[in-house]
Structure formats: C-alpha cells, structure tokens
Amino acid sequence: MTATDAVEGLDPEQSAAVLAPRGPVCVLAGAGTGKTRTITRRIAHLVSGGHVKPSQVLAVTFTARAAGEMRERLRLLGIANDGGQVQARTFHAAAMRQLKYFWPQVVGTTDWRLLDRKFGVVGQAASAVGASTSTDSIRDLAGEIEWAKASLVAPQDYAATVARLHRDTPTDADRVAAVYEGYEQLKNRDPDAVLLDFDDLLLHTAAALETSPAVAQEFRERYRCFVVDEYQDVTPLQQRVLDAWVGERDDLTVVGDANQTIYSFTGATPKYLLDFSRRFPEATVVRLERDYRSTPQVVELANQVIGAARGRIAGTRLQLVGQRPAGPAPTFVEYDDEVSEAAGVARTVQRLIREGVRPSEIAVLYRINAQSEAHEQALTDLEIPYQVRGGESFFQRSDVRAAVTAIRSGATRDDLPEDARRGPGMVRFVEAVLAPQGLTATEPTGAQAREKWAALRALVALTTDLLEQVPDLDLDGLLAELRTRAEARHPPTVEGVTLASLHAAKGLEWDAVFLVGVGDGTLPISHALGDSSSAPDEAAVEEERRLLYVGVTRARVHLELSWALARNEGGRKSRRRSRFLVDLVPESSPASRIAAPAPTRKRPVCRVCGSPVIGTVATMLGRCEKCPSDVDVPLLEALREWRSATSKTLKVPAYVVFSDNTLTAIAEQRPRDDRSLVAIPGIGAKKLERFGADVLAIVGERATR
C-alpha cells in the first residue's frame, strides 16, 4: 500500500493523521468523523511503508466489539504477512495474554486463576466486617473496589481519597475500605494459586514490566508501535499499563474526544488526553471535525448542546461540520405524563417504520434502565418488536421479579384489610410491601441501590397509573395485569427497535433516535443536582451534559427529544424540561406542547341536573347516580360483546379492557371523536391508543342505524 493508497477517499485531516511520522500522534476525533477508519489506515500505512511489522503493533480499545471491528478492517486492508498480525485487543485481553506468558518468569511456580465473578468473595469480606450482604450492597461494594483499583487507590488510602474527591460512597468510607482490604486478603489465602480479578491483570502486567528488566526488554523488542482508541476513557491503572508498555519510547498514537467522557464513575479520566501535548511537546495533533454520520441539522444541535459546556474539557470541544445531505430538523415534544410520552414515541416509531425505516435502525434511549418499562409496553401495544440492549427487559430483571413475587405473596395474607385490596389503599399496600425490597422515601446512595430503587418506584407508579385507568381495579386485577405485561413483551430480536440506556448506546448509531425523559432530575440525573441542603455537583452535571451530547450524536437522520411534566396520567405537573435544553427548543416549535384532551373541571358537575357530582361512579358517568340514565342499551350490549372478545384475545380479565362503569359512560355519552372519548374518566392516552378506534367505530355504527 502506497501513501496514495493509504489516504484514498480520506479528507485532508484524516490524511494528515494517517501520514503523520512515527512518534507521538494525538487525534482529536469528534463523533462520526471516521476515527476507526483513520487509525486503521494509519496502521496500514506504517506497516506497508516498512516502518513496523504487523506483529510489532499493539492496538487497544475498550470493548471486544470495537477490537473486533478494528481487526476486521485491518484484515480487509491486507495487513498480515509472515511476521504475524496486528494485535487489536481490549486492555484486559492484552494484559491477560502477556501475564500468562510472563508469569513464570516473574512469580515462579505459584499458579494463578482468574476471578471473573467477585460477588462471592466481596460478600465474604463484607460479612467479616459487619457490612450489609444484600445483593445490591455487594454489587455496589464490588463496583467501589473496581473504581479504587482502577484509580490506583489502595485500601489504606481509600477513605482519605474519597473524602478529598467528595465521592458518593455506598456506605461509610471506612467500612468500604475494610471490605476492600478483606477482599484482597481473601484472594491471596490459597498458597497454591492466587486469585486475580480483571484489575489485577493490569496491575500485575504493569508490575512485571516495571520490576523485571528482562521482561521489559523482551516485551519492548516484540512491540514497538502502540495505538489507543477512546483515549478519553482510560483510567489511571490503564495509563500505568500503557506507560509500562511504551517505556521511554514515543511511538504512540492516541485517539479520543474529551467531550464524550461519560465513564468517570468507573475511574475514567480525560486528563491524559488533555495533557498529551504537554507530555509530548513535539506530538502531531490532528482535529477531525467533519461529521459523516449525521445530517447538518443533527450536527448543529450537537454543537449547541456541547457549546454550552463549562470547565477544562469544554475548552477542547470540536466544532463538528455535517457532511451529509440535509435532513429533517430535530423535534422537541413536551408531554403531560410519561405514559403519554411512551405512547407518542411509539406512534412516531410506527410511522417511521411505515415510511420505510427499518426497526433495527431506530433506537429509544433513556438515562436509567427503569425508564424502559413504559416504552416496552407502548411498543408492545402497537405490536412493534424491540430488543433491550445492555440489560434485561423491565419485567425480566431479577429485582422486578422479586418485587412482583413479594406483592403476590402479600396479597394472599388472610389478615390483609379490605381497603388495601383496591383504591388508594392498594397503592399504599404496594409501597409497604416494596419497602423491605429497597423502596425508601429518599433516593439511596450506590449505583446498584439507585437502579433498584428506580425500578421499585416505577412499579408503584405503574400501580397508580393502572388505578387511574381502572378505578375499580383490585389486587387480583393488578397482579393479572403485571403478569400479562410480563408475558406479552416481545423477546429480543435482531430486526427490532433498540431500547438502551445512553451509556449502553456509546459507540453505536441509528437512522432514527428518540431521546426520552430529557427533564431535570432525569437528565441531568437527580443526584447530580443535589437537594435543598446541597448545591449541584458541577462536574457531575457537566458529565450529564456530555451524556446528552453522546445521545444526540447517535442519530443519523431523525432525532426527537421529549420529556414529561408528570409521571402518571392526571398527575401533578411538577417537572420541567432539562436545563440543557434552554435556548435549544425553537420558539416556533409546535411540538413544545401536545394536543391535550379537553380540560377536566376541578369540580365536575352532572350533565343532567348541573349539580356537583360526588363519588367515583358519578364522576365516571358524568351525572348524579340519582339522575335518569339515557344509556343506549343496544350500544352498551355491543360494547360488552366487543370487550368480551377483546379480553379473550388479549388473555386478560374484561375489566382490564374497560370497567362496566366506563362502558356505561360510553353508552350514555356516545363520544364521536378522540377528544370526547378521553374526556370520560378512566380513558387515558394508552386506552385511547389501544382501543379508541374500535370503540368509536362501534359508537359510529350504532349512530347510523
């Protein structure tokens, strides 16, 4: 491959990165700017030009998927000869390979085994010091140990370090440190074979190169050229390994974008990318800003989002320039509640599919996994297949399954008061049952505990939502509905809409992206905003802004951002759009508000006598119970027959479709359009979407007779 071949089809900046001489090179690559293509062409150019053999190149990235993509591109470029192939691996895979080779030289006859699941050992360490051994606590402690090791923080330094950093810890810092120390001791108690976790692979690899001149010499004779992708995501431990690999040499190419730093909670830091030119003053620095992924309209919004960033990272922002043909402008939609938001997104997804967009080229992205439930249901209602990426679907999550089991068990108690089986008392019952599961009055600390807490809150909110739709719903009906929803969810499928958290979406792209729940308290997340007693964590808020930026840059053509003012239908509208959207929503945007149902008067009156109506049934019927009914009996019978057939098809109790009172109200009021139909209590956006067309058709057919 000649130099001309190496840069064929590349833009001037990409060509400059490919043709840069051996030595330190820093490629600042914005989203969609072709960084993988650029660095693989650079490797190909170095190999083809005789500067280095393929087997002397070590390229590292952060996911097996990215490493596989790099290997495939190099294969297509023909980068292999008798000297072997370029090694493209994750940090951990590269370290494991090296440690297996060098271990006998460094340690001797003592064997080692990989501890790929540390849960049990952390649990033993926690029990030994009296820390909580609940599943969520163990997971949070394991995550904290991983952060400490990735950040090169020893057990004895942990408490002081987190105090200095004002880090949110899952429990008392001294207790975390004790668990951490006990964990390390337990791994080394077997004299015949020590246990190494994934972080130990990196630690021991670095130590072998740092302490053994023979090992360092052999390694550095083998590998002479290094490439690091996603350099903004390296941890201090990974940087230590990289330093050990490179030694005093400078044949290093790094690629990254500080404005896509979204993993600081794992120990990742962009400081090594930001300081690269200071460490290597002679480094070649290339900025890739031509965006080949997204339309100019999406690119403009991405630039606006990151343009408001603050702090040192903001100083490195890249001004993306869209290279694709023009497309539709991003849309912004404000919904009354989350149920309406999910239904609205599902309808738009359905429209895009009808217009020819493949389901697998559509994604719904959210901040936390608990947000998936409403969107899973809305897509299921419209029979749109989907897959949940980076996690299980809502009702398949172990914590949700355990919570539903607890509700079902509580419902069988002989001493359960009758008022706990229906109405507001049922909501209080669900809250009480879920309290031992982790549902507290305030958001807990610890990532796993927060995730579970959000899922339990979603179950309570779902109970409230179902009760709003079916006022006479009881516990048996609630459990039947939860079971139906769990069974109705589509299994994962390749040709389906992707549901994913923003973190799980990093590195991916779709033709159409829906960013949902873009409201204060969700994005940015509530614990970044602080509370009445504490100010917002500015660094955390800025990371949330970068997370939104990552979400926006996943879209190629279609992009919609939405938020809801309340959790439940008819709930208090106490939420607001995200602070990140200030000055971004066009004043002319018709989607800043949705067409809402006719407003319900705070004090409803009887449509017959005009007196205030009192009671659930009277409110449902829209008249006093003593006032004469003008029900259309044949229409009511037709509605009942339809409900019976529908409930059998859906395999749900009849009242889950519509209660008797709702059918009576329809037969009395005889609505002729969506607006008058949703004005009947118990018929919200979800019921309208699911059954509205059928009901209106039955009413219309009766009216023509």
Side-chain angles (χ1 to χ4, degrees):
M1 176 183 287
T2 65
T4 301
D5 294 332
V7 298
E8 182 181 0
L10 301 186
D11 64 38
E13 294 77 22
Q14 292 172 334
S15 299
V18 168
L19 299 178
R22 287 185 63 181
V25 176
C26 178
V27 182
L28 300 176
T33 57
K35 67 180 179 65
T36 304
R37 185 185 192 195
T38 300
I39 58 177
T40 51
R41 288 286 192 94
R42 173 166 174 75
I43 293 171
H45 170 63
L46 292 173
V47 170
S48 300
H51 302 288
V52 66
K53 295 179 180 179
S55 61
Q56 294 176 322
V57 179
L58 177 58
V60 288
T61 187
F62 286 82
T63 67
R65 182 187 62 80
E69 181 183 357
M70 191 178 295
R71 287 194 297 270
E72 177 62 15
R73 293 203 185 196
L74 290 169
R75 185 188 67 80
L76 293 174
L77 290 172
I79 305 307
N81 59 16
D82 293 339
Q85 295 182 333
V86 171
Q87 294 297 311
R89 300 177 180 272
T90 65
F91 267 101
H92 290 100
M96 179 183 288
R97 189 168 186 265
Q98 294 159 25
L99 197 60
K100 285 180 177 179
Y101 179 80
F102 288 118
W103 183 268
Q105 292 179 245
V106 178
V107 178
T109 58
T110 302
D111 199 4
W112 67 275
R113 291 186 290 110
L114 179 64
L115 179 65
D116 55 354
R117 295 185 178 181
K118 58 169 64 74
F119 188 92
V121 181
V122 175
Q124 293 179 53
S127 178
V129 300
S132 172
T133 55
S134 70
T135 300
D136 291 326
S137 295
I138 299 303
R139 287 175 177 167
D140 279 329
L141 287 168
E144 199 63 10
I145 290 171
E146 290 173 2
W147 170 83
K149 297 181 78 167
S151 302
L152 298 177
V153 177
Q156 62 270 25
D157 300 324
Y158 175 82
T161 301
V162 296
R164 175 173 54 82
L165 298 176
H166 303 289
R167 181 174 173 83
D168 183 19
T169 59
T171 186
D172 177 73
D174 289 327
R175 179 159 289 182
V176 175
V179 174
Y180 180 8
E181 184 172 8
Y183 167 76
E184 292 298 317
Q185 292 172 352
L186 286 169
K187 288 196 291 96
N188 294 302
R189 63 182 175 180
D190 187 342
D192 297 321
V194 299
L195 292 175
L196 302 183
D197 59 28
F198 285 103
D199 294 311
D200 291 327
L201 297 178
L202 301 179
L203 285 165
H204 282 275
T205 297
L209 292 166
E210 292 165 348
T211 60
S212 173
V215 168
Q217 180 179 355
E218 183 176 355
F219 177 85
R220 290 166 187 164
E221 287 177 353
R222 168 70 186 277
Y223 293 106
R224 298 176 178 272
C225 178
F226 301 88
V227 177
V228 185
D229 191 15
E230 303 286 3
Y231 194 50
Q232 78 279 352
D233 288 332
V234 297
T235 67
L237 174 54
Q238 289 165 335
Q239 182 62 42
R240 178 180 168 186
V241 173
L242 181 61
D243 289 342
W245 283 342
V246 176
E248 298 300 319
R249 299 167 296 174
D250 64 0
D251 200 344
L252 172 65
T253 298
V254 300
V255 187
D257 178 6
N259 288 293
Q260 294 190 65
T261 303
I262 59 173
Y263 293 107
S264 65
F265 61 92
T266 67
T269 172
K271 70 178 182 180
Y272 305 110
L273 177 65
L274 298 176
D275 291 340
F276 192 83
S277 295
R278 185 177 303 170
R279 180 180 179 185
F280 299 104
E282 73 284 8
T284 299
V285 178
V286 181
R287 300 168 67 92
L288 303 185
E289 297 179 300
R290 301 176 197 244
D291 187 317
Y292 298 95
R293 173 188 298 160
S294 306
T295 64
Q297 287 77 10
V298 172
V299 168
E300 180 182 2
L301 180 61
N303 285 334
Q304 288 178 295
V305 168
I306 206 63
R310 303 171 183 174
R312 186 185 176 199
I313 294 178
T316 67
R317 71 172 64 96
L318 298 162
Q319 188 71 20
L320 299 178
V321 181
Q323 302 297 301
R324 293 188 58 162
T331 58
F332 301 84
V333 186
E334 181 175 274
Y335 291 94
D336 284 334
D337 52 74
E338 290 184 7
V339 176
S340 299
E341 180 182 22
V345 168
R347 287 194 297 271
T348 307
V349 167
Q350 186 180 59
R351 175 178 60 78
L352 288 175
I353 293 173
R354 287 172 177 168
E355 292 174 356
V357 181
R358 293 171 54 195
S360 59
E361 287 296 344
I362 301 174
V364 178
L365 307 181
Y366 36 77
R367 177 60 178 86
I368 58 175
N369 290 325
Q371 293 173 263
S372 75
E373 193 282 327
H375 295 278
E376 290 180 54
Q377 185 61 43
L379 293 171
T380 299
D381 288 345
L382 296 185
E383 299 183 347
I384 299 172
Y386 67 86
Q387 56 181 335
V388 179
R389 185 180 182 87
E392 298 172 303
S393 63
F394 183 80
F395 281 106
Q396 294 304 312
R397 291 177 49 178
S398 59
D399 47 8
V400 174
R401 293 201 308 269
V404 173
T405 298
I407 297 172
R408 183 174 294 110
S409 178
T412 63
R413 286 174 45 188
D414 295 334
D415 60 344
L416 188 64
E418 190 59 31
D419 64 356
R421 293 188 175 277
R422 54 181 48 82
M426 183 171 66
V427 178
R428 292 191 293 271
F429 162 76
V430 171
E431 290 174 332
V433 168
L434 298 185
Q437 303 285 321
L439 181 65
T440 54
T442 57
E443 188 176 21
T445 58
Q448 293 295 329
R450 282 195 182 112
E451 187 72 23
K452 181 176 182 178
W453 181 79
L456 297 179
R457 279 188 62 199
L459 276 176
V460 174
L462 177 57
T463 301
T464 303
D465 180 41
L466 291 171
L467 196 58
E468 289 283 340
Q469 298 176 50
V470 186
D472 55 355
L473 183 71
D474 60 11
L475 265 178
D476 291 337
L478 171 65
L479 289 168
E481 177 67 11
L482 294 179
R483 182 172 57 253
T484 298
R485 288 178 177 233
E487 293 173 351
R489 299 295 165 84
H490 292 277
T493 173
V494 173
E495 188 56 42
V497 173
T498 298
L499 297 179
S501 70
L502 286 164
H503 283 101
K506 179 73 166 64
L508 304 174
E509 58 187 78
W510 296 269
D511 283 344
V513 169
F514 294 83
L515 300 180
V516 300
V518 189
D520 264 10
T522 305
L523 188 66
I525 197 74
S526 58
H527 54 80
L529 298 177
D531 52 33
S532 57
S533 62
S534 61
D537 182 337
E538 291 299 332
V541 170
E542 286 305 308
E543 181 141 333
E544 294 287 303
R545 188 193 308 276
R546 296 194 294 273
L547 199 54
L548 175 60
Y549 175 71
V550 167
V552 169
T553 55
R554 299 310 94 195
R556 298 192 191 106
V557 181
H558 306 279
L559 175 63
E560 178 175 293
L561 298 88
S562 62
W563 58 95
L565 300 179
R567 171 60 181 89
N568 301 308
E569 290 183 271
R572 186 167 66 91
K573 298 176 183 177
S574 58
R575 299 177 176 180
R576 65 173 186 174
R577 69 183 64 170
S578 171
R579 62 192 61 197
F580 300 148
L581 298 184
V582 172
D583 299 329
L584 295 187
V585 182
E587 292 183 6
S588 59
S589 173
S592 63
R593 286 296 303 151
I594 61 168
T600 302
R601 286 180 258 186
K602 293 182 179 179
R603 297 180 62 85
V605 297
C606 174
R607 55 189 168 83
V608 178
C609 70
S611 302
V613 295
I614 300 174
T616 302
V617 175
T619 301
M620 176 73 68
L621 297 175
R623 61 172 174 81
C624 302
E625 292 186 69
K626 67 179 189 236
C627 286
S629 169
D630 56 350
V631 65
D632 183 328
V633 176
L635 173 58
L636 180 59
E637 288 304 314
L639 289 168
R640 284 175 174 165
E641 290 177 6
W642 165 82
R643 181 182 66 173
S644 176
T646 301
S647 65
K648 289 177 182 177
T649 301
L650 298 178
K651 298 179 181 180
V652 298
Y655 63 78
V656 172
V657 179
F658 280 128
S659 67
D660 287 341
N661 288 329
T662 301
L663 291 187
T664 300
I666 295 171
E668 288 187 359
Q669 299 178 39
R670 298 181 281 280
R672 301 301 300 273
D673 54 31
D674 288 354
R675 184 177 294 274
S676 55
L677 183 59
V678 297
I680 297 174
I683 303 179
K686 187 179 296 184
K687 295 279 189 180
L688 177 66
E689 178 65 36
R690 207 170 184 183
F691 307 123
D694 288 346
V695 170
L696 292 175
I698 294 170
V699 174
E701 181 181 354
R702 174 62 188 167
T704 60
R705 293 183 179 180

